[in-house]
């Protein structure tokens, strides 16, 4: 039963306590009144649909962030962790997190992204379990792509497809 | 029936059941491990696996007989044509079409339905005309009708379903009576497994002179289909859901209707004579088969039909019926599991939700234990809206599944519950 325990371990690594906690009780959940930036993220494969809001003040600091929508445990936990992480950061620092998370989870750098900085992922490391589950990387990065597009003021909706 | 007749009937059924169970070894793809667990494949409603007989037939064709069809005088072209047309004869017998002219090759159910919407319906439709479908249709039996409605100003009506996932027949009849130009309806629902009482529905539609298209994608691999007995006007299905290759499917159409329809696409093979001042179309079914077709796909489909006939559709239905009952019973005993789709008459499919676990998470946890199911909206978003869920988990059965598969599914669900405890 070695196989049994190994695959169970990988599953437990994916659904760590912290992930399940954020999936069950997402932080900063809801609509943000007076948001200056927002973007929607859609993952058509599993029907995840998240909208993420930011209040960014004049000197480029994220003073508040919230998200709403529905999705799997991974995408909701990731969005929740995202809001926890970026509130109080300058937008450049938030984008550094975006690059670091995406490259760390997908194991590659995307075109045009900043080189991997020495960002300390902190509790975002909990998302790392998805590396063993290629089809779930999109769930974990969905909110981050939405953050990228909201801050850069690009299209309103990003899709993982 | 006397006692001895009864006993012999029971033994006959038992032998045929064990016969079906043995089919599993005919499917090479099933003999593998996923994440170190033997594969349990419960996603045949999305696409079924192919038996060796189909795989070998296609390899054999590619290795020895490939050439274009209907075009060459040389030997290979002759062989390819024979095999391609031979497969059409097999399909004709399989669904009991009145003539081989009524069996049109398409790329699949989706193309078959689009063909009927564009070639049969579109020329007849005027603003205000109505087309009727049901609430449980697959997107491919919704969107082609929406398109033709947009193009013509016609209106799309929808017959509702009840909580069990059965179509409200009274409502459907009332809407038919209100005057519709076409009824398009699934034989078996892919999201819910509901079997539609088609005989009754088609009889009613015909009494009102409404032509009927049946989406048979989920019926053909599971229940014996006789298009003459059903008396439908069109019947659409796909090779890849009935143990054949992808990219090939069938449109059965009543000959008089097909004859009167304009071609769907233009090109080679669908013509008799081409002149710049006018072109003569080919006879049925070739009028609807423009361009070089999916020759190997058709041949593979023919092999799949032969395979199904050898196993026997009645034996398959009996095996699956018993297994579906077992599966539904086992799932129902899982604490926190909600069955979606509980119609009285069902085939092959059971959708469900477990606690508040998102179906996508469930899919991952099961896959990691070697159990392949489908999760999501199953291309039936209106059905998901009806139940107020973003998606479901769906286990679907085919002739090669057995009770062990169901037990593995249930065990994997227990693990999911532990992880999400
Ligand atoms: C009921 C039903 N109709 C139509 C289709 C579409 O079939 P295809 O994608 O092979 O054209 C499917 C396949 O998912 C189906 O289940």
């Amino acid at each position: 039963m070695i196989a049994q325990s190994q695959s169970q371990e990988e599953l437990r690594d994916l659904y760590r306590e912290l992930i399940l906690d954020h999936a069950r009780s997402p932080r900063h959940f809801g609509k943000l009144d007076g948001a200056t930036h927002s973007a929607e993220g859609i993952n058509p494969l599993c029907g995840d649909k998240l909208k993420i809001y930011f209040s960014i003040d004049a000197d480029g600091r994220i003073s508040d962030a919230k998200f709403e929508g529905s999705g799997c445990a991974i995408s909701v936990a990731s969005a929740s962790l995202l809001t926890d992480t970026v509130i109080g950061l300058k937008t450049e620092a938030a984008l550094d997190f975006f690059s670091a998370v995406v490259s760390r989870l997908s194991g590659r750098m995307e075109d045009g992204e900043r080189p991997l900085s020495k960002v300390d992922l902190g509790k975002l490391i909990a998302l790392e379990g998805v590396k063993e589950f290629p089809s779930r990387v999109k769930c974990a990065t969905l909110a981050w792509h939405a953050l990228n597009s909201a801050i850069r003021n690009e299209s309103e909706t990003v899709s993982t497809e | 029936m006397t006692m001895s007749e009864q006993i012999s009937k029971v033994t006959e059924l038992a032998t045929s059941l064990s016969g079906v169970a043995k089919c599993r070894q005919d499917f090479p793809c099933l003999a593998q491990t996923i994440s170190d667990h033997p594969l349990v494949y419960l996603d045949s409603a999305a696409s079924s696996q192919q038996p060796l007989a189909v795989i070998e037939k296609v390899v054999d064709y590619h290795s020895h007989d490939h050439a274009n069809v209907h075009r060459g005088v040389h030997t290979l072209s002759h062989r390819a044509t024979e095999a391609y047309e031979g497969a059409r004869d097999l399909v004709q017998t399989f669904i009991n079409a009145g003539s081989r002219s009524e069996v049109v090759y398409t790329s699949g159910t989706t193309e078959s339905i689009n063909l009927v919407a564009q070639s049969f319906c579109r020329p007849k439709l005027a603003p205000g005309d109505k087309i009727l479908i049901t609430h449980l249709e697959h997107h491919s039996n919704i969107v082609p009708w929406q398109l033709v409605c947009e193009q013509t100003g016609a209106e799309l009506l929808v017959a509702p379903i009840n909580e069990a996932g059965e179509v409200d027949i009274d409502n459907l009849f009332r809407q038919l009576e209100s005057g519709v130009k076409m009824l398009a309806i699934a034989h078996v629902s892919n999201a819910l497994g509901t079997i539609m009482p088609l005989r009754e529905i088609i009889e009613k539609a015909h009494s009102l002179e409404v032509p009927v298209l049946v989406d048979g994608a989920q019926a053909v691999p599971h229940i014996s289909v006789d298009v003459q007995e059903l008396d439908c006007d069109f019947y659409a299905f796909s090779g890849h859901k009935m143990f054949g290759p992808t990219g090939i499917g069938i449109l059965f159409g009543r000959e008089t209707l097909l004859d009167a329809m304009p071609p769907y696409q233009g090109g080679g093979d669908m013509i008799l004579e081409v002149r710049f001042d006018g072109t003569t179309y080919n006879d049925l079914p070739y009028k609807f088969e423009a361009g070089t077709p999916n020759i190997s796909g058709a041949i593979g489909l023919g092999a799949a039909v032969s395979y199904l006939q050898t196993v026997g559709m009645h034996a398959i239905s009996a095996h699956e019926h018993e297994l579906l009952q077992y599966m539904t019973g086992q799932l129902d005993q899982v604490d926190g599991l909600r069955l979606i789709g509980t119609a009285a008459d069902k085939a092959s499919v059971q959708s469900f939700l477990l606690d508040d676990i998102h179906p996508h998470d469930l899919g991952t946890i099961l896959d990691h234990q070697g159990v392949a199911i489908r999760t999501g909206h199953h291309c039936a978003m209106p059905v998901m809206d009806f139940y107020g869920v973003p998606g479901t988990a769906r286990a679907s059965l085919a002739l090669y599944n057995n009770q062990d598969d169901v037990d593995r599914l249930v065990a994997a669900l227990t693990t999911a519950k532990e992880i999400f405890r």
Side-chain angles (χ1 to χ4, degrees):
Chain A
M1 287 276 98
I2 290 165
Q4 184 79 18
S5 57
Q6 187 184 334
S7 62
Q8 294 236 1
E9 232 166 74
E10 282 166 358
L11 283 170
R12 288 194 191 283
D13 197 35
L14 176 64
Y15 294 106
R16 296 175 199 185
E17 251 343 293
L18 185 70
I19 299 290
L20 291 177
D21 175 37
H22 277 260
R24 287 202 180 104
S25 341
R27 322 293 197 265
H28 314 285
F29 191 79
K31 192 172 155 73
L32 180 60
D33 294 324
T36 55
H37 293 65
S38 71
E40 195 171 50
I42 292 178
N43 179 354
L45 177 68
C46 50
D48 293 342
K49 201 171 170 183
L50 301 174
K51 184 152 188 184
I52 193 154
Y53 305 90
F54 300 98
S55 284
I56 301 178
D57 58 27
D59 62 348
R61 191 169 296 280
I62 300 174
S63 58
D64 204 359
K66 276 185 143 183
F67 77 103
E68 60 182 357
S70 71
C72 63
I74 305 297
S75 63
V76 170
S78 179
S80 173
L81 287 164
L82 179 154
T83 49
D84 250 5
T85 305
V86 302
I87 292 174
L89 292 185
K90 290 275 216 174
T91 51
E92 300 88 73
L95 290 175
D96 281 344
F97 269 106
F98 160 70
S99 304
V101 167
V102 169
S103 55
R104 182 80 172 236
L105 299 190
S106 59
R108 72 186 151 84
M109 289 300 293
E110 299 201 337
D111 284 348
E113 272 162 31
R114 294 142 187 261
L116 185 53
S117 56
K118 291 157 266 347
V119 172
D120 176 7
L121 285 178
K123 63 184 172 188
L124 295 175
I125 281 293
L127 293 167
E128 220 181 13
V130 297
K131 285 204 297 199
E132 292 299 323
F133 300 82
S135 69
R136 303 306 298 277
V137 171
K138 285 174 175 176
C139 306
T141 55
L142 181 65
W144 294 91
H145 284 289
L147 167 136
N148 184 44
S149 114
I151 291 182
R152 293 180 197 273
N153 248 331
E154 287 166 356
S155 71
E156 288 287 291
T157 299
V158 294
S159 167
T160 55
E161 290 306 297
Chain B
M1 210 187 279
T2 67
M3 191 60 146
S4 71
E5 272 172 345
Q6 254 174 11
I7 288 170
S8 82
K9 183 132 187 149
V10 167
T11 359
E12 195 186 299
L13 194 61
T15 4
S16 68
L17 286 185
S18 62
V20 177
K22 272 194 257 142
C23 292
R24 191 186 188 95
Q25 63 210 40
D26 299 336
F27 293 80
C29 199
L30 295 177
Q32 61 175 303
T33 55
I34 303 285
S35 303
D36 295 326
H37 299 279
L39 169 64
V40 169
Y41 191 72
L42 294 172
D43 194 22
S44 299
S47 201
S48 53
Q49 300 299 339
Q50 297 175 26
L52 203 55
V54 170
I55 297 167
E56 282 179 345
K57 185 83 181 178
V58 172
V59 169
D60 193 51
Y61 163 74
H62 283 303
S63 312
H64 305 290
D65 303 328
H66 173 67
N68 213 326
V69 288
H70 306 139
R71 312 198 175 180
V73 291
H74 59 78
T75 305
L76 290 188
S77 174
H78 178 68
R79 279 197 217 146
T81 307
E82 291 273 292
Y84 176 75
E85 291 301 332
R88 195 191 308 271
D89 294 334
L90 290 170
V91 173
Q92 181 203 336
T93 316
F94 184 59
I95 59 170
N96 193 30
S99 121
R100 66 193 315 281
S101 314
E102 299 186 318
V103 179
V104 178
Y105 285 127
T106 63
S107 65
T109 310
T110 302
E111 190 183 33
S112 298
I113 297 174
N114 278 282
L115 192 163
V116 174
Q118 290 300 318
S119 173
F120 176 70
C121 279
R122 188 173 176 181
K124 289 191 213 278
L125 290 174
D129 282 347
K130 292 169 191 144
I131 293 172
L132 179 59
I133 61 171
T134 82
H135 200 117
L136 53 61
E137 302 306 319
H138 186 279
H139 294 165
S140 69
N141 200 25
I142 302 174
V143 185
W145 307 111
Q146 289 177 325
L147 287 173
V148 79
C149 284
E150 265 171 36
Q151 290 155 346
T152 59
E155 190 190 339
L156 190 62
L157 304 180
V158 182
I161 52 176
N162 63 21
E163 196 57 35
E166 294 157 329
V167 170
D168 178 343
I169 298 293
D170 290 339
N171 181 293
L172 182 102
F173 282 10
R174 273 201 304 281
Q175 299 209 56
L176 277 174
E177 280 159 4
S178 79
V180 304
K181 285 284 186 313
M182 179 87 202
L183 170 65
I185 187 165
H187 195 166
V188 173
S189 152
N190 70 309
L192 302 170
T194 315
I195 303 178
M196 224 65 79
L198 279 186
R199 289 283 299 280
E200 188 190 340
I201 293 171
I202 293 173
E203 203 177 305
K204 176 74 177 180
H206 283 173
S207 75
L208 298 159
E209 291 178 10
V210 178
V212 182
L213 171 136
V214 179
D215 170 356
Q218 295 296 344
V220 170
H222 308 295
I223 53 189
S224 163
V225 171
D226 180 330
V227 291
Q228 293 192 66
E229 191 188 69
L230 281 175
D231 199 31
C232 55
D233 301 287
F234 299 99
Y235 196 97
F237 56 102
S238 298
H240 72 100
K241 296 193 198 277
M242 54 183 289
F243 318 105
T246 53
I248 186 78
I250 297 290
L251 173 66
F252 157 82
R254 206 184 280 283
E255 191 161 354
T256 47
L257 300 180
L258 290 178
D259 238 348
M261 286 157 58
Y264 174 54
Q265 291 183 319
D269 247 8
M270 52 75 70
I271 41 79
L272 279 182
E273 193 175 36
V274 176
R275 291 171 189 280
F276 288 121
D277 59 2
T279 288
T280 322
Y281 303 132
N282 203 342
D283 297 331
L284 288 178
Y286 310 108
K287 183 170 82 175
F288 293 105
E289 295 176 4
T292 300
N294 181 353
I295 306 167
S296 63
I299 292 168
L301 174 59
V305 164
S306 299
Y307 182 82
L308 283 168
Q309 282 170 325
T310 307
V311 183
M313 287 313 297
H314 291 291
I316 292 170
S317 294
H319 169 77
E320 290 182 5
H321 184 72
E322 191 176 306
L323 194 55
L324 179 62
Q325 280 191 324
Y326 178 71
M327 180 163 81
T328 307
Q330 293 299 103
L331 288 175
D332 207 19
Q333 282 173 27
V334 176
D335 189 34
L337 189 139
R338 172 181 170 200
L339 296 172
I340 306 238
T342 47
D345 200 11
K346 284 188 53 175
S348 144
V349 164
Q350 186 60 59
S351 273
F352 58 90
L353 290 167
L354 183 60
D355 297 331
D356 55 357
I357 306 176
H358 192 282
H360 203 200
D361 294 313
L362 210 48
T364 292
I365 297 174
L366 265 52
D367 176 55
H368 223 58
Q369 299 171 83
V371 180
I373 59 160
R374 171 93 187 259
T375 59
H377 54 62
H378 317 297
C379 294
M381 283 180 161
V383 173
M384 301 301 122
D385 287 345
F386 174 80
Y387 288 100
V389 297
T392 69
R394 178 189 72 184
S396 56
L397 303 169
L399 54 87
Y400 37 63
N401 292 115
N402 56 34
Q403 292 201 352
D404 284 347
D405 295 337
V406 173
D407 295 342
R408 287 272 311 277
L409 166 68
V410 171
L413 290 172
T414 310
T415 303
K417 281 182 78 76
E418 279 164 15
I419 287 172
F420 269 77
R421 184 160 45 203

